[in-house]
Structures are given as structure tokens and as C-alpha cells.
């Protein structure tokens, strides 16, 4: 809102109104309040009003200039004059919400400049907006997306697409299918290669890949260049090792099994629908990738994550088929599948 400036002329009883753009509104209000008409206003005041209007036209559009005139018309000149008489400290930088307010604020907070979050740097005389909301809340830090982050995301998407295309040529699978696989790194650690010349740092990653529909693969990646390179190698090897596994009703294993892999002993039992996965945390990730929804079991003796994962995947691939189970029990396949065919 454009603030008007008033100067009382005590000798002639005339109120001069300089630097304003609403002379017509002032003339209308003067008729009702007994103030001299426009013909009695000094020519110097009219000339200054026109000068100021020409000055404002250089910086404001006609629509904005019209809004300034309307906003000035909503303020009674006598109220502004009374506010001016109270001095500079009586003025408020924020419009009062109460209609009966005298436009004065004594709280020092009102004297502080108003800072908006969308102000650009170097375009305002006010201090820079702090990055932290409060001095005691360092977790509320404002983070903005920069060009480097966007470039990194584009690079990651391009590398994933490139890996999928190369693996499609190698394995014969569809590139879109490879990109849509569920990928989960199970082990990510730094190791040391012990040599006569000292310890050589290395990185080890074990990744599981699956389509959540009965296909799963494990991959190991090692690299001295960093954990990212090792993760890419593990993903590559896991896709190459994709293997289908049999499932009962597409939710659990075909039957109970006990399997020994090196020092790991696995005892797994099938579970009814809605039972969930109540197993070792590493086996849980493998079941998620394979699409196994109901399973219960225990891991005895060694619980080395690498041996547990390799042993469980090997046990899944070596499950007895439903035909063998039917033959050993002396039943038909239809009975084991709980399917009834009507004639």
C-alpha cells in the first residue's frame, strides 16, 4: 500500500496532499467533511500529484496502479494525519486486524523487517534466511534440490538401463523384466586382504534378486574401487544366477525339509495361508524376493549370513517335486494339490 504524506496549513486552513494518486477520492470526502473544494487547492499540489502519477506509471502497470488508488481510498486521510502526529514510532509496519485500532504498536517485534521465504539472494536489504528453523532443532534443516543431485539421479537411471540391456543380451531375458526385478543387498561390508606386504582393503556385497513370483538369484560382488562397484557386480551376478523354485499354492514351500549346508542346519516347515514369515532375517529377505509369503523355521549351529543365504537357496532348488511326493505317499497329484476336477 502506498503511504500518503500530509502537511497541515494552519494559516489558510488547507490540507496539502502531496505524493498521492487519489485526488478524486479526496475531493469526494472533502465535500462531506467541509474541507475546501478542488478549486481552492493550490495549483502546486495538483502539479505534484500529476508528477507523482507519471512517476508511478514507469514502475507499475495500469491494473496495479488502479489497485493502489483503491487501497488508498479505503483509508480516511484524517486517520493517517492523526497517525503522523504521533511520530515515527507510532507507525506499524503490519496492517492491524482490528478496525477500531489506532494503527500503533508498541511491541518491538513489529519494528523488525518482514522476511519472505521466496526472496532471492542479493535482491533484498534484509539478512539471509537461516537454514535451520530453530537453534535447538538441527534436524529441521531446509534441503533444496540442486543440479548435482538431479544429474546423479539421471546418471544412476542411465547406468541401470545400460546394465539391463547388457544383461538382456547375455541371459536372453527381457530388459524391462530385468529392470523390474526386486533387488535387496543383504551383506555390505569392508574386508581386508591379508598379504605379506600388509592389509589391502576390499569391499564385499551379497545381493538377492527376484521377481516375487517364484524366481530367485544370489550374487556376490567384490571390489577395491568402492562399495558401489561391488554392489553393481553383485547385482550383475545375481541376475545371471536367476533360478526358478517350486512353491505350493504360490505362497509357501512344498513340504517340510531339513537341510545341512556346511556348518548351518536349516529346519523349515510350510505354514497355512496368512501365517506370515517367521524366520531368520536373512531368509526373510530371500522369501520376499522369491514370493514366499508363509513360512516358519529355525537356523541351528552357524548363523553366518552368507552360509545361511546360500544354504536356504540351495535347499529351495532341491525341494522334492509334487509328483515325487505323491508317488512316495501313494496318492494322486490332484489330492496333494487339493484340486477337484468335475466331469
Amino acid at each position: 500500500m502506498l503511504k500518503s504524506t500530509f502537511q497541515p496549513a494552519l494559516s489558510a486552513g488547507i490540507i496539502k496532499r502531496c505524493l498521492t494518486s487519489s485526488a478524486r477520492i479526496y475531493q469526494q470526502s472533502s465535500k462531506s467533511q467541509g474541507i475546501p473544494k478542488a478549486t481552492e487547492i493550490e495549483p502546486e499540489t495538483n502539479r505534484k500529484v500529476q508528477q507523482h502519477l507519471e512517476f508511478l506509471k514507469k514502475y507499475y502497470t495500469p491494473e496495479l496502479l488502479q489497485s493502489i488508488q483503491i487501497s488508498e481510498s479505503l483509508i480516511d486521510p484524517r486517520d493517517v494525519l492523526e497517525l503522523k502526529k504521533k511520530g515515527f514510532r507510532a507507525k506499524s509496519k503490519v496492517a492491524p486486524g482490528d478496525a477500531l485500532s489506532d494503527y500503533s504498536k508498541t511491541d518491538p517485534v513489529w519494528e523488525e523487517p518482514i522476511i519472505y521465504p521466496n526472496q532471492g539472494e542479493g535482491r533484498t536489504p534484509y539478512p539471509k534466511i537461516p537454514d535451520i528453523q530453530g537453534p535447538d532443532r538441527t534436524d529441521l534443516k531446509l534441503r533444496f534440490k540442486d543440479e548435482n543431485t538431479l544429474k546423479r539421479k539421471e546418471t544412476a537411471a542411465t547406468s541401470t538401463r545400460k546394465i539391463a540391456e547388457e544383461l538382456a543380451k547375455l541371459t536372453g531375458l527381457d530388459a524391462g523384466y530385468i529392470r523390474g526385478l526386486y533387488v535387496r543387498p543383504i551383506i555390505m561390508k569392508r574386508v581386508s586382504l591379508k598379504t605379506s606386504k600388509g592389509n589391502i582393503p576390499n569391499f564385499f556385497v551379497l545381493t538377492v534378486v527376484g521377481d516375487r513370483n517364484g524366481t530367485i538369484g544370489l550374487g556376490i560382488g567384490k571390489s577395491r574401487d568402492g562399495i558401489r562397484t561391488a554392489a553393481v557386480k553383485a547385482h550383475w551376478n545375481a541376475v545371471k544366477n536367476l533360478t526358478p523354485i517350486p512353491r505350493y499354492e504360490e505362497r509357501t514351500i512344498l513340504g517340510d525339509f531339513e537341510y545341512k549346508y556346511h556348518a548351518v542346519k536349516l529346519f523349515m516347515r510350510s505354514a497355512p495361508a496368512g501365517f506370515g514369515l517367521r524366520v531368520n532375517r536373512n531368509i526373510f529377505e530371500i522369501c520376499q524376493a522369491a514370493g514366499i509369503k508363509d513360512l516358519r523355521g529355525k537356523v541351528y549351529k552357524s548363523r553366518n549370513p552368507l552360509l545361511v543365504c546360500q544354504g536356504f537357496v540351495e535347499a529351495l532348488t532341491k525341494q522334492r517335486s509334487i509328483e515325487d511326493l505323491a508317488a512316495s505317499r501313494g496318492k494322486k497329484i490332484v489330492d496333494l494339490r487339493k484340486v477337484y476336477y468335475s466331469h
Side-chain angles (χ1 to χ4, degrees), residues 1-3 83 87-97 101-116 125-127:
M1 185 187 298
L2 182 64
K3 297 181 180 178
L83 181 62
F88 175 77
R89 293 187 178 278
K91 292 194 301 181
S92 172
K93 296 187 178 181
V94 181
S101 175
D102 61 347
Y103 301 93
S104 63
K105 299 289 181 183
T106 56
D107 193 342
V109 176
W110 297 99
E111 297 295 331
E112 296 180 1
I114 303 172
I115 301 176
Y116 297 95
Y126 304 128

Side-chain angles (χ1 to χ4, degrees), residues 253 255-261 264-269 315:
I253 58 178
D256 305 345
F257 65 78
E258 298 179 6
Y259 193 79
K260 185 177 183 300
Y261 183 81
V264 178
K265 283 189 177 181
L266 301 171
F267 293 85
M268 296 294 156
R269 298 175 63 188

Side-chain angles (χ1 to χ4, degrees), residues 11-258:
S11 59
I14 300 174
I15 299 176
K16 293 183 180 181
R17 198 159 191 244
C18 304
L19 299 178
T20 182
S21 56
S22 56
R24 295 183 181 180
I25 304 297
Y26 184 75
Q27 293 171 15
Q28 295 176 3
S29 63
S30 64
K31 292 179 182 179
S32 59
Q33 299 177 6
I35 300 175
K37 298 180 181 178
T39 54
E40 301 176 11
I41 299 177
E42 296 180 2
E44 182 67 18
T45 306
N46 289 332
R47 189 180 65 80
K48 287 185 177 181
V49 169
Q50 294 300 326
Q51 257 184 357
H52 188 64
L53 276 173
E54 294 297 329
F55 176 75
L56 290 177
K57 286 180 182 177
K58 297 179 182 179
Y59 300 98
Y60 298 104
T61 60
E63 294 80 6
L64 192 56
L65 195 59
Q66 186 180 4
S67 68
I68 293 174
Q69 294 177 358
I70 294 172
S71 60
E72 283 193 351
S73 66
L74 299 176
I75 300 178
D76 190 2
R78 293 188 178 277
D79 293 339
V80 180
L81 185 60
E82 291 295 330
L83 181 62
K84 286 293 248 181
K85 288 179 181 179
K86 294 181 180 180
F88 175 77
R89 293 187 178 278
K91 292 194 301 181
S92 172
K93 296 187 178 181
V94 181
D98 187 9
L100 302 177
S101 175
D102 61 347
Y103 301 93
S104 63
K105 299 289 181 183
T106 56
D107 193 342
V109 176
W110 297 99
E111 297 295 331
E112 296 180 1
I114 303 172
I115 301 176
Y116 297 95
N118 56 355
Q119 288 179 343
E121 293 184 10
R123 298 188 180 183
T124 173
Y126 304 128
K128 186 181 177 181
I129 303 172
D131 291 339
I132 301 174
Q133 296 286 353
D136 56 338
R137 294 296 301 276
T138 55
D139 57 321
L140 298 177
K141 200 166 185 178
L142 300 177
R143 294 179 176 86
F144 302 97
K145 293 183 179 178
D146 53 351
E147 296 182 359
N148 296 331
T149 306
L150 297 176
K151 287 181 180 179
R152 271 191 242 111
K153 288 185 177 179
E154 293 176 0
T155 307
T158 306
S159 62
T160 305
R161 192 182 305 109
K162 185 178 179 181
I163 290 172
E165 291 174 356
E166 293 177 355
L167 280 172
K169 295 177 183 177
L170 182 65
T171 60
L173 300 173
D174 182 46
Y177 172 80
I178 295 174
R179 292 179 62 187
L181 290 174
Y182 174 86
V183 182
R184 175 71 70 179
I186 298 177
I187 304 172
M188 300 180 73
K189 61 182 180 179
R190 177 186 179 275
V191 295
S192 294
L193 177 63
K194 306 294 182 178
T195 64
S196 58
K197 297 181 181 180
N199 299 333
I200 301 176
N202 207 340
F203 295 94
F204 176 90
V205 178
L206 175 69
T207 302
V208 61
V209 169
D211 61 354
R212 297 187 178 185
N213 194 26
T215 305
I216 196 174
L218 272 181
I220 295 175
K222 300 176 183 178
S223 175
R224 295 180 186 175
D225 300 331
I227 198 73
R228 291 179 180 271
T229 308
V232 170
K233 288 183 179 181
H235 184 193
W236 183 285
N237 293 328
V239 174
K240 289 199 301 182
N241 297 333
L242 280 173
T243 308
I245 59 170
R247 294 179 300 162
Y248 178 71
E249 293 182 352
E250 297 184 353
R251 60 174 185 81
T252 185
I253 58 178
L254 291 177
D256 305 345
F257 65 78
E258 298 179 6

